[in-house]
């Protein structure tokens, strides 16, 4: 018998053969758990039938003829008084119910028996919902588990009780009978999870979709035209320089067209920024130089493509991570992936331009000996200039003016004050800045969003404010985001390459080093927790699982679910978002990886001080939306608590010892540690401090565990990443609630998942100044204290704890928007806003990048900022190519508006 078959003989072993018998088969594990549960509880229920009846199959014409001959032979034998015994026959396979075998027990064929065999067929109606029968469960493809629930919507699919309990615990039998998971679109069986039909349909619709909202194209034209003019002006300046070099007029210039294909990404060999059109290329070798580097060379200030740097993170043995004495015998430099081993092949110091502005190639080798850098174009000599001309013509035709910002009184959020109750007004208080109107964040519910809310979103978005859309999962089909469900889907797709997905790369948040771990072990720790050799909580983060460039291929159903759930699709839809510039790149053009990407990490409510589950302070080059799709609460074991308390004390002593040895800011650091000492002495094992709400009772709660209880009654102690620290005075919060030691939930809200801090763009200079001043108070790889800062934000080596945020406001008067992301919350992060995240529970987040027209200028600025980093820095490469996006977006907009102008599309009045 094949997989899924069962023997109907009494006493036969009902256990089926499985094609996968590894211990990692979670289907079998879950079914075994359900079976044990049924044996302990519902095992004796009369509604579960252990042995199922066989269903008659239809006979072919040939079988009917053979049967007639056998009947005649039987009749002849009976007339002669001979009783003939025949072995039973094998029944043909029925795809709907699987294979069955007839019993080997011999049957006497008398007249009575043949009469029964030749009786007219009964009227076979489709079984009604709840009827028992030999029916196969759609989820497990088995039919030996007893009663199944039939779907009355499709009248085809059915699910056994065991699978319903294991995989759809939120659905009742009546729900399944009304519409099964297949009809609901959230079936998580292997076949449905690996089906790409939905995402293919979405892509097909996107190709045939033409945006009929011309007003969105007009909006893009208004916003993007200034940036297109900027690019055109840069090229005009280079044309004038080239004309001077050749001794010609600008009109006589003939720019050589570069031989690049659309699917090729071209970078400047000096600063690694992308080349989208005009550039200079060596006539003898393949050296390419962007226009910005050309301009800097001529002014004698070449900033882009700084010399490489070396990161000084030394491995001092495992014991050093928990403040044990360093082992001098194991010291070795870390192989840091943030600093790629790349060096310049030429001397930047001796690279100068000629008096007429021409630039020699800096390379000196057998192939090229200071060849000439020739001006070339990728798109064509007058491509951008022609676009600008067409855009100006359309602006006049549609009587468009410069973009007029909506007045502040457009949004009711501006009128809120600290005494306003806004719990139900689609806003969330996230800061307490004095004399500021941006303390509240726009936070609508996904189920209430309408097209008119797009303007409200744009009003906040163009100001560079984050937006939080809640209850996003309520607008989906309900597909499970359980990590094991996703893993089952991935395993089914990549079954032929099993070894490639059983081991994954994870980052240990204690030493920020990468290692391999079995995926089963990782997900076990996701729900149950892990600890290291000293019983310290081990917190891991999955690195790029599944790879974002393979997310759609390996998890097609989850990819479609995520895209369909995105709010404000005009911006976020990666297939046809009218205001998403990333969508405007033409087919055949090499496109940047915009996601979706998954972020899976362990987490605890307590701020441990070291090894916290954090995403360190960084700044994305594009806009992003981050959705929390799954959380799991993991509580510390009681036997871990004394060990954690002891290790915290050791960490504090190590911090004090190493900071005292620093040369700079010793006095400041010692004062900070003296404050920490009072916190250590005031540890209270009986209670935990629960910070419930900020001013007005409007902010999300923050939990502080029993190790952070202050000695004084007017302070809230928080542990930071470099040791314990003393928190702010109670005037920063309105309520402090003392809870029991075992109550680790935030505000009693089980949906809370991650703590976010997002800084305003205008506060970035002061934030950088603070980090440069206090950088020695932070640790990174191998728990080594930081010894240098290349760029305080782009290095991604800082996480500001509660204490650091308090000091930041005290010293520089700035603070971030701080809020808690709940299950189903989609957080919109504008480009250029530094942010950090700490997971309060084990979290699974899915994120998508996009490029909005309002933030194109910020993307331009970041691209130029990244090119000034050392060439081996993690952020130096321009992977977004926002300038190329802008050009193709304008080309698309002009095409649509010209079509509308010709009367082929509806033009808004």
């Amino acid at each position: 018998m094949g997989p899924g078959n069962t023997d109907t003989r009494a006493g036969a072993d009902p256990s089926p053969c499985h094609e996968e018998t590894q211990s990692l088969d979670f289907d079998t594990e879950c079914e075994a758990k359900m079976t044990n549960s049924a044996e302990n509880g519902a095992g004796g229920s009369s509604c579960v039938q252990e042995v199922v009846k066989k269903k008659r199959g239809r006979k072919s014409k040939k079988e009917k003829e053979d049967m007639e001959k056998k009947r005649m032979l039987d009749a002849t034998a009976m007339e002669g008084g001979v009783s003939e015994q025949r072995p039973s026959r094998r029944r043909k396979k029925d795809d709907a119910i699987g294979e069955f075998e007839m019993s080997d027990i011999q049957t006497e064929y008398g007249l009575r028996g043949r009469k029964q065999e030749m009786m007219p067929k009964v009227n076979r109606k489709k079984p009604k919902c709840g009827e028992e029968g030999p029916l196969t469960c759609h989820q497990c493809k088995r039919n030996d588990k007893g009663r199944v629930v039939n779907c009355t919507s499709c009248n085809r699919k059915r699910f056994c009780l065991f699978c319903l309990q294991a995989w759809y615990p939120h659905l009742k039998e009546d729900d399944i009978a009304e519409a099964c998971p297949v009809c609901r679109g959230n079936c998580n069986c292997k076949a449905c999870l690996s089906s790409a039909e939905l995402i293919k349909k979405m892509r097909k619709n996107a190709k045939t979709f033409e945006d009929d909202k011309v007003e969105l194209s007009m909006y893009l034209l208004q916003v993007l035209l200034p940036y297109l003019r900027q690019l055109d002006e840069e090229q005009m300046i280079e044309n004038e320089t080239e004309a001077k070099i050749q001794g010609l007029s600008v009109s006589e210039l003939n720019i050589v067209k570069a031989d690049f294909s659309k699917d090729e990404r071209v970078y400047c060999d000096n600063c690694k920024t992308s080349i989208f059109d005009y550039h200079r290329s060596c006539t003898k070798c393949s050296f390419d130089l962007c226009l910005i580097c050309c301009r800097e060379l001529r002014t004698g200030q070449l900033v882009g493509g700084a010399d490489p740097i070396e990161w000084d993170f030394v491995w001092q043995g495992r014991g050093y991570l928990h403040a044990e004495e360093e082992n001098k015998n194991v010291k070795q430099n870390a192989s840091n992936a943030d600093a790629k081993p790349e060096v310049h092949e030429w001397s930047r110091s001796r690279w100068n331009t000629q008096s007429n502005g021409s630039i020699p190639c800096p390379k000196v080798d057998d192939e090229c000996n200071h060849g000439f850098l020739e001006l070339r174009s990728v798109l064509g000599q007058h491509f951008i200039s022609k676009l600008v001309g067409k855009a100006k013509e359309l602006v006049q035709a549609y009587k468009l003016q410069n973009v007029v910002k909506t007045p502040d009184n457009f949004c009711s959020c501006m009128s809120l004050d600290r005494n306003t109750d806004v719990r139900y007004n689609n806003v969330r208080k996230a800061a307490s800045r004095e004399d500021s109107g941006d303390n509240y964040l726009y936070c609508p519910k996904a189920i209430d969003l309408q097209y008119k809310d797009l303007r409200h979103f744009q009003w906040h978005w163009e100001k560079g404010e984050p937006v939080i859309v809640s209850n996003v999962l309520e607008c989906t089909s309900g597909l499970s985001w359980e990590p094991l469900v996703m893993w089952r889907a991935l395993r089914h797709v990549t079954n032929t390459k099993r070894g490639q997905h059983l081991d994954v790369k994870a980052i240990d948040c204690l030493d920020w080093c990468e290692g391999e771990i079995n995926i089963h072990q990782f997900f076990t720790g996701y729900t149950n927790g892990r600890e290291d050799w000293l019983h310290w909580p081990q917190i891991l983060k999955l690195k790029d699982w599944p790879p974002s460039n393979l997310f759609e291929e390996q998890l097609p159903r989850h990819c479609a679910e995520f895209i369909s759930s995105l709010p404000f699709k005009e911006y976020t839809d990666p297939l046809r978002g009218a205001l998403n510039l990333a969508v405007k790149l033409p087919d055949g053009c090499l496109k940047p990886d915009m996601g979706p990407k998954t972020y899976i990490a362990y987490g605890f409510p307590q701020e441990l001080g070291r090894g916290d589950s954090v995403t360190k302070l960084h700044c994305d080059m594009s806009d992003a939306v981050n959705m929390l799709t799954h959380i799991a609460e993991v509580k510390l074991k009681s036997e871990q608590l004394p060990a954690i308390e002891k290790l915290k004390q050791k960490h504090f002593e190590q911090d004090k010892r190493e900071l005292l040895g620093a040369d700079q800011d010793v006095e400041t650091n010692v004062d900070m540690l003296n404050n920490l000492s009072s916190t250590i002495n005031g540890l209270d094992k009986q209670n935990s401090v629960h910070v419930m709400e900020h001013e007005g009772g409007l902010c999300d709660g923050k939990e502080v565990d029993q190790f952070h209880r202050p000695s004084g009654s007017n302070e809230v102690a928080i542990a930071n990443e470099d040791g314990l620290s003393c928190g702010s005075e109670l005037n920063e919060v309105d309520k402090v609630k003392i809870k029991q030691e075992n109550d680790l939930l935030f505000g009693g809200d089980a949906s809370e998942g991650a703590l976010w801090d997002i800084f305003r763009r205008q506060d970035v200079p002061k934030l950088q100044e603070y980090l440069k001043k206090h950088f020695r108070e932070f640790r990174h790889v191998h728990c080594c204290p930081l010894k240098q800062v290349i760029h305080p934000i782009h290095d991604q080596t800082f996480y500001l704890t509660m204490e650091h945020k308090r000091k930041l406001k005290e010293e520089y008067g700035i603070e971030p928007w701080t809020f808690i992301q709940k299950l189903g919350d989609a957080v919109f992060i504008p480009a250029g806003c530094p942010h950090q995240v700490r997971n309060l529970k084990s979290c699974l987040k899915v994120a998508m990048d996009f490029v909005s027209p309002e933030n194109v200028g910020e993307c331009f600025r970041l691209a130029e900022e990244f090119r000034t980093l050392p060439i081996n820095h993690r952020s130096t490469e321009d992977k977004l190519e926002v300038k190329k996006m802008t050009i193709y977006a304008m080309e698309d907009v002009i095409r649509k508006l010209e079509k509308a102008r010709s009367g082929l599309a509806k033009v808004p009045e």
Side-chain angles (χ1 to χ4, degrees):
M1 294 185 293
N5 298 348
T6 184
D7 196 331
T8 58
R9 289 174 291 174
D13 185 1
S15 301
C17 297
H18 294 278
E19 62 182 11
E20 296 171 319
T21 58
Q22 299 188 43
S23 62
L24 293 180
D25 195 332
F26 289 97
D27 299 348
T28 305
E29 292 181 15
C30 291
E31 289 165 5
K33 293 178 181 179
M34 291 299 103
T35 302
N36 294 334
S37 175
E39 290 175 354
N40 296 332
S45 175
S46 60
C47 66
V48 179
Q49 182 175 335
E50 297 297 338
V51 180
V52 295
K53 298 179 181 179
K54 299 189 293 291
K55 181 179 179 180
R56 292 180 180 272
R58 291 188 177 184
K59 308 294 188 299
S60 65
K61 183 177 181 181
K62 186 176 184 301
E63 286 179 316
K64 291 180 180 179
E65 292 176 354
D66 293 342
M67 185 178 294
E68 182 65 21
K69 292 178 181 179
K70 291 176 183 178
R71 186 188 65 78
M72 295 175 65
L73 290 174
D74 290 342
T76 303
M78 292 302 297
E79 289 175 359
V82 179
S83 176
E84 185 178 8
Q85 293 182 342
R86 298 176 182 273
S88 60
R89 296 172 288 106
R90 284 185 179 270
R91 185 175 292 275
K92 292 185 66 178
K93 182 176 180 180
D94 188 334
D95 292 337
I97 62 174
E99 287 185 348
F100 290 87
E101 286 188 339
M102 299 284 287
S103 171
D104 292 332
I105 301 176
Q106 294 178 335
T107 305
E108 179 174 332
Y109 281 81
L111 293 174
R112 184 177 182 85
R114 294 310 304 166
K115 184 177 180 180
Q116 290 178 340
E117 182 71 15
M118 297 303 297
M119 287 179 61
K121 296 179 181 179
V122 297
N123 184 18
R124 293 192 181 91
K125 296 181 179 179
K126 291 186 177 181
K128 296 180 180 179
C129 178
E131 285 187 356
E132 300 176 15
L135 305 174
T136 301
C137 171
H138 175 77
Q139 182 84 16
C140 62
K141 304 296 186 289
R142 291 171 58 175
N143 48 37
D144 61 343
K145 294 184 178 180
R147 185 161 66 89
V148 295
V149 179
N150 293 269
C151 175
T152 58
S153 178
C154 64
N155 286 324
R156 294 176 54 219
K157 305 298 181 183
R158 57 202 64 86
F159 290 77
C160 68
L161 298 183
F162 293 91
C163 286
L164 293 182
Q165 296 175 30
W167 301 108
Y168 308 97
H170 59 288
L171 293 178
K172 299 179 181 179
E173 288 189 34
D174 292 342
D175 299 328
I176 300 295
E178 180 181 352
C180 68
V182 178
C183 296
R184 295 172 182 268
N186 58 19
C187 179
N188 57 46
C189 76
K190 293 180 182 178
C192 291
L193 288 176
S194 59
S195 174
E197 291 184 7
L198 185 56
I199 189 66
K200 287 181 179 178
K201 182 179 179 181
M202 295 170 66
R203 285 196 171 277
K204 183 179 180 181
N205 293 339
K207 289 183 178 180
T208 59
F209 174 79
E210 281 292 333
D211 183 21
D212 57 355
K213 296 182 177 63
V214 181
E215 62 268 22
L216 296 181
S217 294
M218 294 168 62
Y219 177 71
L220 275 175
L221 178 67
Q222 289 178 289
V223 176
L224 296 182
L225 182 55
Y227 302 107
L228 190 67
R229 285 175 172 170
Q230 175 184 332
L231 298 179
D232 186 43
E233 289 172 1
E234 291 176 358
Q235 292 191 353
M236 291 174 64
I237 294 174
E238 196 65 23
N239 278 336
E240 293 174 358
T241 303
E242 182 65 17
K244 179 181 177 182
I245 293 173
Q246 296 188 22
L248 302 172
S249 64
V250 175
S251 60
E252 295 175 326
L253 276 180
N254 185 19
I255 307 300
V256 178
K257 197 167 189 310
D259 186 17
F260 296 134
S261 59
K262 277 188 176 182
D263 61 350
E264 186 177 0
R265 182 172 290 158
V266 187
Y267 290 110
C268 173
D269 284 307
N270 180 63
C271 68
K272 304 305 178 186
T273 194
S274 65
I275 290 175
F276 58 94
D277 191 15
Y278 271 30
H279 64 285
R280 290 193 173 270
S281 184
C282 181
T283 56
K284 294 183 179 180
C285 68
S286 59
F287 186 86
D288 297 314
L289 193 68
C290 69
L291 294 189
I292 301 177
C293 285
C294 292
R295 186 169 62 246
E296 291 177 351
L297 269 174
R298 294 189 182 108
T299 60
Q301 297 177 344
L302 183 58
V303 179
D307 291 329
I309 46 90
E310 294 183 5
W311 297 97
D312 189 17
F313 297 117
V314 180
W315 167 248
Q316 302 181 63
R318 186 179 70 169
Y320 178 80
L321 303 178
H322 286 307
E324 296 179 2
E325 292 185 5
E326 62 185 62
N327 189 345
K328 297 181 180 180
N329 297 325
V330 298
K331 277 193 174 184
Q332 60 183 30
N333 289 327
S335 57
N336 196 317
D338 295 345
K340 303 173 185 178
E342 186 171 352
V343 296
H344 283 301
E345 299 176 359
W346 61 88
S347 173
R348 285 163 51 89
S349 60
R350 290 179 292 177
W351 190 17
N352 299 305
T353 62
Q354 303 295 329
S355 58
N356 62 354
S358 63
I359 302 175
C361 180
K363 286 188 175 182
V364 181
D365 52 31
D366 295 337
E367 180 184 4
C368 177
N369 186 10
H370 296 304
F372 171 70
L373 295 186
E374 175 183 59
L375 183 61
R376 296 180 182 178
S377 172
V378 176
L379 300 175
Q381 182 173 352
H382 303 294
F383 185 86
I384 294 181
S385 296
K386 290 179 179 179
L387 279 183
V388 172
K390 291 179 180 179
K392 290 180 179 179
E393 183 180 344
L394 287 171
V395 167
Q396 294 177 356
Y398 285 105
K399 299 179 180 179
L400 301 177
Q401 303 298 325
N402 294 331
V403 178
V404 179
K405 292 188 176 181
T406 307
D408 288 345
N409 58 11
F410 168 82
C411 178
S412 59
C413 303
M414 292 295 297
S415 61
L416 299 174
D417 57 38
R418 61 179 298 172
N419 298 318
T420 305
D421 187 357
V422 293
R423 297 171 188 264
Y424 306 102
N425 288 349
N426 290 339
V427 293
R428 193 182 296 187
K429 187 174 182 182
S432 300
R433 307 182 188 96
E434 296 180 1
D435 302 325
S436 176
D438 57 3
N439 290 327
Y440 295 88
L441 295 180
Y442 179 43
C443 183
K445 293 183 179 179
I447 55 178
D448 298 332
L449 288 179
Q450 300 178 13
Y451 182 73
K452 64 180 182 180
D453 295 310
L454 178 64
R455 187 67 196 97
H456 193 172
F457 169 82
Q458 290 176 322
W459 187 87
H460 290 278
W461 192 246
E462 66 189 10
K463 294 178 178 295
E465 298 177 8
V467 173
I468 310 166
V469 181
S470 60
N471 305 106
V472 172
L473 296 180
E474 294 181 13
C475 301
T476 65
S477 67
L479 182 67
S480 175
W481 287 94
E482 286 276 353
L484 292 184
V485 171
M486 298 178 66
W487 181 77
R488 287 172 65 244
L490 186 65
R491 181 183 57 178
H492 185 67
V493 171
T494 59
N495 191 45
T496 57
K497 300 179 180 179
R498 179 172 299 276
Q500 295 186 7
H501 64 272
L502 292 183
D503 291 332
V504 294
K505 292 182 179 180
I507 295 176
D508 191 323
C509 293
L510 179 61
D511 61 2
W512 290 97
C513 291
E514 180 183 301
E516 287 193 347
I517 184 173
N518 181 276
I519 191 68
H520 184 190
Q521 296 175 349
F522 177 86
F523 284 136
T524 300
Y526 179 91
T527 54
N528 300 332
R530 291 171 62 90
E531 57 184 59
D532 63 15
W533 73 100
L534 294 179
H535 305 292
W536 184 265
Q538 186 180 39
I539 296 180
L540 303 179
K541 300 197 303 179
L542 267 192
K543 182 177 182 181
D544 201 19
W545 181 91
S548 54
N549 58 335
L550 298 177
F551 188 92
E552 179 181 329
E553 175 186 338
Q554 297 184 345
L555 293 173
R557 185 62 190 85
H558 284 89
C559 182
E561 179 87 351
F562 174 72
I563 293 175
S564 63
S565 68
L566 290 171
F568 300 115
K569 286 184 170 54
E570 292 83 358
Y571 285 88
T572 58
D573 193 324
L575 303 178
R576 59 182 191 182
L579 298 177
N580 185 358
L581 271 62
V583 178
K584 309 300 182 180
L585 292 173
D587 293 337
C589 180
L590 190 61
K591 301 180 180 181
D593 179 16
M594 308 297 286
K597 305 178 180 71
T598 55
Y599 299 90
I600 310 177
Y602 304 172
F604 292 95
Q606 301 89 343
E607 215 170 29
L608 297 172
R610 286 192 189 179
D612 284 305
S613 179
V614 299
T615 298
K616 295 196 175 185
L617 189 69
H618 68 287
C619 186
D620 294 325
M621 194 175 186
S622 65
D623 306 303
V625 55
N626 184 297
M627 188 186 305
L628 180 58
T629 59
H630 185 269
I631 56 176
E633 181 189 3
V634 180
K635 293 184 178 181
L636 295 174
K637 299 176 183 177
S638 58
E639 56 268 23
Q640 285 183 270
L641 303 183
I644 293 175
E645 181 180 357
K646 181 179 178 181
L647 288 173
K648 279 180 174 289
Q649 179 68 42
K650 295 180 67 175
H651 295 167
F652 166 76
E653 295 296 337
Q654 183 186 36
D655 289 341
K656 190 172 182 178
R657 182 171 61 252
E658 293 183 352
L659 288 177
L660 282 174
D663 296 331
Q664 300 178 5
D665 297 326
V666 173
E667 183 177 352
T668 301
N669 296 331
V670 172
D671 290 341
M672 176 181 176
L673 288 172
N674 288 335
N675 288 334
L676 306 186
S677 180
S678 64
T679 302
I680 292 292
N681 296 331
L683 291 176
D684 187 346
K685 300 181 181 179
Q686 302 301 322
N687 300 316
S688 62
V689 178
H690 187 197
V691 181
M692 288 294 294
E693 299 174 353
H694 281 254
E695 292 185 52
L698 303 175
C699 276
D700 303 286
K702 300 177 180 64
E703 173 95 15
V704 186
D705 72 295
Q706 63 271 17
F707 304 110
H708 311 150
R709 180 79 183 277
S711 56
S713 60
N714 63 336
E715 293 177 332
V716 177
I718 305 294
N720 69 24
E721 196 172 65
D722 315 296
L724 290 174
S725 63
C726 181
S728 59
E729 300 291 328
L730 274 185
N731 57 13
E732 289 191 17
V733 294
D734 289 333
K735 297 180 182 179
V736 176
K737 180 180 179 182
I738 306 300
K739 303 187 70 180
Q740 293 300 320
E741 180 177 309
N742 61 352
D743 185 2
L744 302 180
L745 289 178
F746 279 53
D749 190 345
S751 65
E752 295 175 339
L755 177 67
W756 284 70
D757 296 300
I758 303 180
F759 288 87
R760 301 184 301 181
R761 292 170 184 156
Q762 58 265 38
D763 294 334
V764 171
K766 292 183 178 179
L767 174 62
Q768 293 188 25
E769 189 175 340
Y770 174 85
L771 294 175
K772 290 178 180 178
K773 177 181 178 182
H774 295 276
F775 75 92
R776 295 182 183 276
E777 300 168 19
F778 296 84
R779 297 178 180 272
H780 194 44
V781 178
H782 302 318
C783 277
C784 293
L786 291 179
K787 295 183 179 179
Q788 63 176 335
V789 177
I790 306 303
H791 192 285
I793 296 173
H794 301 324
D795 289 355
Q796 299 186 28
T797 55
F798 296 95
Y799 178 82
L800 289 100
T801 60
M802 196 80 165
E803 168 64 12
H804 276 294
K805 286 184 286 186
R806 183 192 67 80
K807 291 175 61 179
L808 176 64
K809 187 170 184 178
E810 180 182 283
E811 296 178 14
Y812 291 90
I814 63 173
E815 65 174 293
W817 289 291
T818 300
F819 58 90
I820 289 182
Q821 183 184 25
K822 300 181 180 180
L823 183 65
D825 282 357
V827 179
F828 285 75
I829 310 105
C833 288
H835 56 280
Q836 61 179 24
V837 187
R838 183 168 74 85
N839 295 313
L840 310 175
K841 295 183 176 74
S842 292
C843 292
L844 191 157
K845 308 186 194 79
V846 187
M848 173 76 75
D849 297 332
F850 63 97
V851 180
S852 62
E854 295 86 352
N855 293 329
V856 165
E858 192 64 23
C859 293
F860 274 36
R861 185 192 66 80
L862 285 171
E864 295 192 9
E865 192 171 274
F866 287 156
R867 62 176 291 278
T868 64
L869 297 172
I871 60 171
N872 62 337
H873 196 278
R874 64 181 301 163
S875 302
T876 187
E877 190 174 329
D878 178 15
K879 297 179 181 179
L880 184 64
E881 298 186 284
V882 64
K883 295 181 179 179
K884 179 193 290 187
M885 283 185 187
T886 303
I887 294 171
Y888 282 116
M890 283 297 289
E891 185 182 30
D892 179 75
V893 164
I894 291 171
R895 177 183 62 83
K896 289 181 178 178
L897 290 179
E898 286 180 340
K899 180 179 178 180
R901 187 183 177 190
S902 64
L904 298 178
K906 183 179 179 181
V907 181
E909 295 181 1

